[in-house]
Amino acid sequence: ASNESARLLPLREKLWAATQAAFPGAIRNGTPEDCLTNTLNVSFPGFDGEALLISLDLAGIAASSGCRRCHGFNSIFVPAWRLIFHAM
C-alpha cells in the first residue's frame, strides 16, 4: 500500500466506527478489503435521502446517493451512499 493509502485506511475505519455509533442501523456496503481506502459506502435504511444529503453537505462532508435516473424510481431507502472522507 502507498503511504497515502496507509494514512487513509485508519481514517476510513474511524469514520465507519463513528457512523455505526451515531446510526446503529447503518449498513456498510462491500467489504473493507475490496474498496478504496478513501471511500466508505454506507446505506441508511429508513432515512430521507435528500434530507440526509443536505445535512451532510452543510456539515462539510462530501456525499452522494444512488442515481435516481439510473434506478428509474425514488426509493424510500438511500440505496447507495458514497461518503468520501478527506482528512486535512
Side-chain angles (χ1 to χ4, degrees), residues 9 16 19-20 34 42 46 48-49 54-55 68-69 83-84:
L9 180 62
W16 172 236
T19 300
Q20 282 185 298
D34 294 326
V42 180
D48 178 335
I54 291 168
S55 295
R68 289 182 186 174
R69 182 179 50 192
L83 301 180
I84 304 170

Side-chain angles (χ1 to χ4, degrees), residues 26-88:
I27 300 168
R28 186 175 194 162
N29 301 309
T31 62
E33 301 78 27
D34 294 326
C35 67
L36 298 171
T37 56
N38 69 339
T39 302
L40 179 62
N41 187 314
V42 180
S43 294
F44 297 93
F47 282 85
D48 178 335
E50 186 173 353
L52 196 47
L53 273 177
I54 291 168
S55 295
L56 290 168
D57 183 52
L58 291 173
I61 299 170
S64 65
S65 67
C67 175
R68 289 182 186 174
R69 182 179 50 192
C70 299
H71 296 294
F73 63 91
N74 293 328
S75 173
I76 62 169
F77 299 104
V78 180
W81 280 82
R82 190 161 307 272
L83 301 180
I84 304 170
F85 182 71
H86 298 283
M88 296 183 151

